[in-house]
Structure formats: structure tokens, C-alpha cells
Amino acid sequence: MILKISFQNKCYWNFLRSKSQVLMKFLQTVQTLTLGSILRIQPTVGYGSKASPKYGTGGCSRCFSFTKAKPLANRNRLCLEVTLAEASQHVTKFATWSALSQNFKGVVYHSSSRDIFYNLAFEDWVYKNLNLDSCDVLMLWCNDPCVVVGRHQNPWAECNHKHLKESRVALARRRSGGGTVYHDGGNLNCTFFTSRERYNRKNNLNTIISAVTNKWPDVDVSATSRDDIILNKNYKISGTASKLGRKIAYHHCTLLHSCDKSQLIDLLDVNLDGITNKATRSVPSVVKNLQDVNININHGTLVNVIAEQFYKEHLALGEAKIYDIDPSDEKTWPGIHGLKEELESWSWVYGKTPPFSIQRGDDTLSVLLHINRGIIDGVIVRILSDDILIDSLQQLSASLKGVPFTRDDLKSACNVFLHAAVLEDKKKLKLAQVCSLIQEALS
Amino acid sequence: MIQYSFPERKFTEEHEWLLLKDDASDVATVGVSDFAQSQLGDMVYVELPEVGRAITKGEEMMVLESVKAASDVYAPVDGEVVEVNNALEERPELVNSSPYDKGWLFTMKVADVSSLDSLMNEKEYEKFIEGQE
């Protein structure tokens, strides 16, 4: 039996390099113990690598050595792939050894808030305030129903606003990249805060996958190249995004265990006709809930198994337990109310939308609205008509410029314009038609 | 005899580079290093700063988005944004394919040209990234 184990994500290059003697000794021991042979030792390196591994087959002590390698794409990340013969338990031992030897501390928080804005504000607070050079933080949290768009997305192109309003679901924009997701109580969010150097999404996803499969071995979950987690090799149960700074980074992901799938589908079902967009687009996926394959999987059990796995891979900062935190507690997290207010503001949620345009109408009458930062930047009306409406249309266009692209603002701006226009009835009727078409841009 | 002296590309520890347009100028072009772009992966969106914005060394001033990760870009020195690379709105991937040329991010008026002395030159930067590995 050949067992191929990638240690990628388990430990770090600097560490390995400094400990290469110890590592070689350890591998020799493994070899002696298993009576097999190390078939290949090769640093797996990222982009721009100048690695020059020396490896061979057969007898161990002479056959490999560590030479300098440059794991550029994955700075300070483990870059070693070891192929061993029949060594499963010893390999496990090695993995544990390397993780513990790093001496990294960790702590698990569970947020008591179900308010998306407070939970995102907590991420912000950690990002701005904590030094995570020697300690990783995992926050587990869930929200009341909400739709969350990525940093550079267009909410008008990502979610169904009519349905959003009717079902009183909150809309938020997070600071990380990536696509739009729907959250409710049936979705667990995991945020992995680390130093920038220790940022490693695959490692974090492996923590979740190990947690789930250790507890429920029949559940088939795996990570994809896009850093999604899929169930039964097909259905998405987790989406990922991250935020990178100078010293600190965080990676958060969703984990669907029992979310309202019909609500998810309805809210993310959007009519894109007529929208021209430079924003980051979401990649739609077929989703499933973990509970569909195992009835015992729910918020509580997932929180426990993930926290347990996290503490297996870290030295507990205090006790190896889940600490409840309340992100709305300004005393403990000074400044968090301000962060929450900013995340809730229209200028963040909508105003951060990259420029886009939206077209409505047909050959005889059409309108094109340009929207920048959520504000109407220009309106172009094309009309086939005998009436000379040019002046009025220019006035209409001028009066709409600067109006926020919301149903209420657009409606009232149109009404004010129509009310003030002194025109014969026929022209006024035509203008009313134009105005209602403009308002359709928000339907 | 005329002596030519060419401005030298300077680097920050946050992996931004900065290059004066010419030695007599206080306007510099700013981008991210090849090392930075290779670490971040394929760019999908570049959030450019506002022209005319006053910037202070070290502050977060724009965001690069690559494969689901949003990365802050920091101001390399004090100054003011003069021009932004609008081509990146359509083609953010230029940051990957041409980080030192077509993938520049913005130009800035440098408040104090001597502040560039504190930044690393290319050789020092290469050493710096080696130390990071």
C-alpha cells in the first residue's frame, strides 16, 4: 500500500527549514518503524519556485536533504510532500508532532449575536485591533436571515430586491471579496483570524472537513480548487472569502446544515436583463444542507466538533473551550458600535457598488441609467415620437442626476419633476411613460 | 559632459513599489510588486483611489480583489493621488501580467521626495522577500 500524504497546510517552511535535522531524524525513525522506504521527498512549491530538491529512492539517511526552496505563492507555508509506504499511524504522529511543535496558540469564540452587522463589525474590530502574531482566533457565528454581498459586488445585480423587502431580509456588504451568499439560522459561519503570514484558507477548510468526517465518517465532504466545500462531490455546502491586511488576515466561510433553500434560491434569483456591470460576479452553485445526509448535524453539533478539531491543532490560549462573546458589547470591544454603523450605512451597502448601467424599454422607447456609487449619474432616453420633447427630457435627466438609486428616491424625484412640468397633456403623458419606465429599472 | 541619472524603483515592506517619473519630478507611479501579485493570484477587481485624495504613509487607500480575497493596499509615502490607471477597471489582470508597467495603480505627487530614501531599493527588497520565506 502506498500512502501519499501532502503536508501542505500543516506546518510552515521557516519552521521546517530550521528543524530540518529533526525532521530528517523523524522520517528515518518512521522508516525504520514501518520497514518501508521513503519513496520520494519533494518540496512542493508555489509560483516562481526556484526549488532544487534532492531526493532519491531506497535507503533513507543518504537519500534526501533539504535545500533552499522558495515557496513564493504560499509564503511561509509548508512545502513538503512525503510519500511513505504503509505508514498511516506514524504519519498521523508526524502531523501531530509538527502542529504541536509550532506552539501556536488558539482560541474559539462563539458569537451570541444573530445580527449580521454586529458580527461583521466584530470581524472588523479584530482586524483593526488585535495582534495575532502568536495566536489564531476562530469565531463561530450565525445570523437571522440576510443576504451578504462581496466587497466589490453590485447588490442590484446579485439579489432580488423585491423579494428582499417583502420577506424583511437584511442586506449587507462584507469587507472580504467573493460572491453573494444567503445566511439564516441553518448556516454556520466560521471566521479564521490569523497573522497575514499564517493565512491559509486550505488549512482552515481542512480543519472543518476533518471535524465533520471524524465525527460523521459517512459524510462525504471535500474542498474544491475554488475553496468551496462540496458534499457528495457535487453540492456546494460552503463558500469562502477573505480579507488581507499588512499584519493580519481573516478567512470566513459559510457552512449550510439546514438553511431554507427555497428562500436562498428566491432571494438570489435576479433578473439581469439590461444590466451592464464591472462588479465581481457570483458563481451560482447547486447547494445542499448537511442535514440532508445526516440528521444529527446541526448548529450545536457542528460548533462543538469544529471547536474540538481547532483545539487539536492549536494549544489552547486559556481553557480548550468555546468562549461566548457578545459583539454588541461596546465596553469589551471599544468602537464596535461605530464599525457596525458604518457597515449598516447606505453609503457602504449600496454606495460601494462599482459603476453600472441598466436599460429598460424597447425600440420605440428606452431608458439607460448610469449609476455610480449607488447614485444616478446620467439618464439617456431614446424615444420615437413626433413630439418635440428634447428640452423636457434634458430637464428630467438633469433632475435625476444625483438621486440615490432607490425605489422611493426615484419615485419622488419623478413625481416632483412631473408635477412641476408645465406642458400640454399629450407631452405630459409621454413624460409620465418615460418616468414609469425609469422606475422599472428597480423592478 | 552630461551625466544622466535615472530614478530608482523603491519598495515598501507592504510590497508596493514607487518610481519617480524622472529625477527632477515629485510625481511618482505606484504599483504592487511581482512578489505581491504572485501571492495574491488572479485579480478580479481593482478598487482605485479617488484622484486628488490626500494620502498619509501607511494608510489603507485602495483594495485589490483576487480569487475571493480582498487585500488592502497601503500608501507608500505622504502625498496626493494625481492619476489612476483606469485601464484596470476593464482589465484588472494587468496587475498580474505586468505589475511594473501596464499594471500600475496610480500616480501621486510626493509630499517630500527625501521620504523615498527610507524605502528599499530593488536589491534590498529582494533580500527582504528572501527573509520572509
Side-chain angles (χ1 to χ4, degrees), chain A residues 88 97 132 156 172 258 280 329 407:
Chain A
S88 55
W97 169 81
L132 296 180
W156 288 284
S258 57
T280 314
D329 177 8
R407 197 177 301 274

Side-chain angles (χ1 to χ4, degrees), chain A residues 14 17 47 68 70 72 75-76 127 151-152 177-178 201 226 228 240-246 278 354, chain B residues 14 35 38-40 45 47 50 58 60 63 65 67-72 74 89-90 130 132-133:
Chain A
N14 268 347
R17 205 162 53 181
Y47 179 92
K68 198 169 175 188
K70 291 192 174 190
L72 290 186
R75 175 160 49 124
N76 286 358
Y127 184 79
R151 178 75 163 90
H152 299 118
R201 300 200 301 211
R226 286 185 56 80
D228 293 333
T240 267
S242 50
K243 169 78 180 166
L244 313 181
R246 181 190 286 127
K278 285 172 194 156
Chain B
E14 284 79 36
F35 176 82
S38 72
Q39 282 218 318
L40 294 174
Y45 192 85
E47 184 190 301
E50 262 177 272
E60 298 163 10
V63 179
E65 181 172 342
V67 283
K68 306 181 185 179
S71 307
D72 283 324
Y74 300 91
E89 284 178 4
E90 296 286 343
E130 260 183 36
Q132 294 238 307
E133 285 157 22

Side-chain angles (χ1 to χ4, degrees), chain A residues 125-334:
Chain A
W125 192 93
V126 172
Y127 184 79
K128 287 179 166 42
N129 292 290
L130 290 189
N131 177 337
L132 296 180
D133 286 349
S134 61
C135 183
D136 295 346
V137 177
L138 169 62
M139 174 169 74
L140 302 168
W141 47 293
C142 80
N143 297 306
D144 292 329
C146 60
V147 169
V148 188
V149 299
R151 178 75 163 90
H152 299 118
Q153 288 203 291
N154 178 349
W156 288 284
E158 294 294 342
C159 63
N160 187 321
H161 276 65
K162 197 161 167 259
H163 194 77
L164 201 68
K165 212 167 182 182
E166 282 167 6
S167 48
R168 295 170 169 266
V169 170
L171 174 69
R173 180 189 297 276
R174 58 178 189 265
R175 300 217 182 254
S176 61
T180 301
V181 285
Y182 167 73
H183 292 189
D184 63 18
N187 169 61
L188 173 68
N189 300 292
C190 308
T191 309
F192 295 87
F193 299 93
T194 60
S195 66
R196 175 71 179 80
E197 289 195 336
R198 285 171 51 70
Y199 162 73
N200 186 334
R201 300 200 301 211
K202 297 233 178 315
N203 200 19
N204 301 333
L205 296 179
N206 282 338
T207 302
I208 293 175
I209 289 169
S210 304
V212 170
T213 49
N214 286 346
K215 176 79 177 177
W216 301 286
D218 293 341
V219 176
D220 173 15
V221 284
S222 51
T224 70
S225 58
R226 286 185 56 80
D227 292 342
D228 293 333
I229 298 178
I230 50 171
L231 180 67
N232 296 337
K233 301 187 174 55
N234 210 359
Y235 304 98
K236 181 164 168 176
I237 54 164
S238 166
T240 267
S242 50
K243 169 78 180 166
L244 313 181
R246 181 190 286 127
K247 295 275 182 207
I248 198 170
Y250 62 84
H251 160 216
H252 48 200
C253 61
T254 53
L255 192 57
L256 301 174
H257 52 83
S258 57
C259 101
D260 183 344
K261 274 191 290 188
S262 67
Q263 184 74 302
L264 180 151
I265 289 162
D266 288 348
L267 283 165
L268 303 187
D269 174 39
V270 55
N271 176 15
L272 284 172
D273 291 349
I275 296 187
T276 314
N277 222 341
K278 285 172 194 156
T280 314
R281 285 287 299 137
S282 298
V283 181
S285 311
V286 187
V287 300
K288 218 177 174 106
N289 282 312
L290 279 165
Q291 221 165 68
D292 295 346
V293 294
N294 189 317
I295 194 77
N296 296 318
I297 303 182
N298 56 42
H299 180 89
T301 52
L302 275 176
V303 164
N304 285 335
V305 295
I306 293 170
E308 195 181 317
Q309 181 65 29
F310 185 83
Y311 281 124
K312 271 188 203 166
E313 296 166 7
H314 292 82
L315 296 173
L317 180 68
E319 286 173 60
K321 67 167 195 178
I322 300 164
Y323 291 84
D324 275 321
I325 56 130
D326 176 9
S328 67
D329 177 8
E330 177 79 20
K331 267 188 192 154
T332 315
W333 326 106

